[in-house]
Amino acid sequence: MDRIDRILKHTDTNGHGIEVAPYHKPILKKKDAPNLLILDVFDTETLRSKAKADPLISDSKRTQIEEVDLVGDACDIAMLLEKTGQAGEIDFILSSHNFEHLPDPIRFLQGCSKALRPGGTLSMAIPDYRCCFDHFRFPTRLSDWLTAFHSSPKRPSPATIFDANANQVRFLYGDFQDMTTTLDRRVAPEAVLCFDIEGEYRRFQKELEDPEPYTDTHCNILIPELFELYLRDLSYLGLVDFEVVEISQTHGIEFFAHLKKQTTHSKPTAEEYQKTRARLLRSVSEQLGSAAFGQKSLAADASPVDKIRRVARSVIGTRAVDAVRSWNRQRRLNRKERKA
């Protein structure tokens, strides 16, 4: 399964859909999805002019730029559709490497919900920050999203721009330099900082006094487990009405999130949700390298079983390993009961 198949896994491409800001790398082409609309902050001619002026974009890639149907900010998707009378009638929304750029992700999610019919899907490819130039940044907090939602920023803040630039890295593979890496590398590449902190602090001060119109950067620093936690938190708080269909593990440099607009609304009890949050937070903690309380390390004196278990967690995820362990415990218990 390639990345396009992973993004389209839960999408009926015959329905009415929107792709958000595909530029010269569309997930779908209009000839293959006749009811597809393209949304971008720039119109078609502006996009093509920008691509022509960029030496890194080849002629063949420029031809991939589709006609833009909805011109505006992705966070205003519902408002744009209300003008055309299509709000609440969209079957699917696709977004590849856009979510991390949004200064107000809750407003985007709410806009997508208003755009979709009940049962409609939002499918996104999102970079795992550990695998890209955000490698040394600290993850986004839910409080960051809530603060943005209640202050309605239209662009990344000077603090976000400072954090992104001061901690930006490139990965060295011998003489070759790249912006990405993957979690499955047996030998981690050297990560080298791109900018000096003193220069970025001067830029930060200038931005505070005289902000630039818009500086594009990554505002949301995520891993799959964090994204799932925040989505479930927002749903529990009543701020979004999406249910999680699937959030994949990281493939290459990205993970894939599939959400469905709820058709029914049933809120778990506080006690039930506390258990869900605790499970997700433990998973996040393990992925981010927090102290492994009650677990043996991968030191030389660790048992072979402990080593295999820790490696399995890093490869297939904590939930899968815990599910197998739970199944084995139940199997052993059933065997004892039969013998008794």
Side-chain angles (χ1 to χ4, degrees):
M1 185 180 290
D2 65 17
R3 71 178 303 269
I4 300 298
D5 292 330
R6 293 185 193 279
I7 298 173
L8 297 177
K9 185 176 180 181
H10 298 279
T11 300
D12 178 4
T13 57
N14 292 315
H16 287 80
I18 296 174
E19 184 167 351
V20 179
Y23 199 19
H24 58 81
K25 295 180 180 179
I27 301 165
L28 277 178
K29 297 183 185 300
K30 287 188 175 183
K31 65 181 181 64
D32 300 320
N35 298 310
L36 180 69
L37 301 174
I38 302 297
L39 184 155
D40 202 287
V41 72
F42 298 113
D43 61 30
T44 310
E45 290 309 311
T46 302
L47 287 179
R48 288 174 178 164
S49 295
K50 285 168 63 69
K52 189 173 182 180
D54 189 338
L56 298 178
I57 299 178
S58 65
D59 290 339
S60 61
K61 288 181 179 178
R62 292 184 199 115
T63 63
Q64 302 298 310
I65 298 175
E66 298 274 9
E67 292 285 337
V68 177
D69 304 286
L70 301 167
V71 179
D73 190 318
C75 290
D76 294 329
I77 184 171
M79 182 183 70
L80 294 171
L81 286 170
E82 285 168 0
K83 291 180 179 178
T84 65
Q86 295 171 287
E89 298 180 0
I90 302 300
D91 296 301
F92 66 87
I93 297 173
L94 303 173
S95 170
S96 176
H97 288 243
N98 296 295
F99 188 82
E100 65 276 14
H101 294 267
L102 300 174
D104 190 352
I106 296 177
R107 189 160 69 91
F108 170 74
L109 292 169
Q110 289 184 344
C112 288
S113 176
K114 292 176 182 176
L116 291 166
R117 62 166 177 78
T121 59
L122 168 61
S123 295
M124 297 187 286
I126 303 172
D128 184 317
Y129 85 92
R130 298 169 295 184
C131 301
C132 72
F133 45 78
D134 295 319
H135 184 78
F136 283 152
R137 295 178 69 183
F138 290 93
T140 298
R141 304 164 299 176
L142 181 63
S143 57
D144 298 325
W145 285 10
L146 294 172
T147 299
F149 177 63
H150 287 281
S151 59
S152 301
K154 300 297 182 184
R155 59 189 178 207
S157 70
T160 299
I161 297 167
F162 170 81
D163 180 56
N165 289 346
N167 298 304
Q168 188 179 130
V169 300
R170 293 291 184 273
F171 299 98
L172 295 184
Y173 301 89
D175 295 330
F176 177 67
Q177 199 177 102
D178 201 354
M179 297 170 67
T180 62
T181 186
T182 56
L183 296 179
D184 58 358
R185 292 188 180 276
R186 304 186 74 174
V187 178
E190 183 181 359
V192 179
L193 288 168
C194 299
F195 302 100
D196 74 283
I197 192 169
E198 187 176 14
E200 289 309 313
Y201 179 53
R202 287 195 296 270
R203 178 177 177 176
F204 171 72
Q205 291 174 300
K206 183 176 181 297
E207 277 281 310
L208 289 175
E209 296 173 2
D210 183 23
E212 295 180 13
Y214 192 94
T215 300
D216 186 33
T217 194
H218 284 188
C219 301
N220 302 297
I221 312 304
L222 298 164
I223 62 174
E225 293 79 5
L226 266 180
F227 185 76
E228 179 176 356
L229 172 65
Y230 295 168
L231 254 296
R232 294 190 185 279
D233 281 348
L234 292 173
S235 178
Y236 182 75
L237 293 172
L239 290 170
V240 301
D241 61 350
F242 281 111
E243 61 183 80
V244 175
V245 176
E246 179 185 5
I247 296 177
S248 77
Q249 291 296 303
T250 297
H251 296 274
I253 68 167
E254 60 193 350
F255 62 92
F256 304 94
H258 301 278
L259 314 176
K260 182 170 71 172
K261 183 175 178 176
Q262 292 175 343
T263 53
T264 59
H265 300 270
S266 57
K267 184 176 179 178
T269 66
E271 183 179 2
E272 289 171 338
Y273 192 63
Q274 281 292 80
K275 292 179 180 178
T276 298
R277 288 201 81 231
R279 173 180 60 80
L280 290 168
L281 283 164
R282 280 194 295 269
S283 180
V284 169
S285 180
E286 289 174 4
Q287 289 296 320
L288 296 181
S290 181
F293 298 111
Q295 298 181 33
K296 294 181 181 178
S297 70
L298 283 178
D301 58 348
S303 73
V305 172
D306 288 319
K307 291 180 179 180
I308 291 171
R309 189 174 294 148
R310 291 291 299 280
V311 171
R313 278 198 174 98
S314 68
V315 173
I316 66 174
T318 297
R319 281 177 292 176
V321 172
D322 288 345
V324 171
R325 293 183 68 194
S326 177
W327 178 81
N328 277 327
R329 282 196 297 269
Q330 188 61 48
R331 183 172 57 85
R332 288 193 294 269
L333 180 62
N334 292 342
R335 185 185 299 166
K336 288 181 181 179
E337 289 176 350
R338 284 197 298 269
K339 287 182 178 179

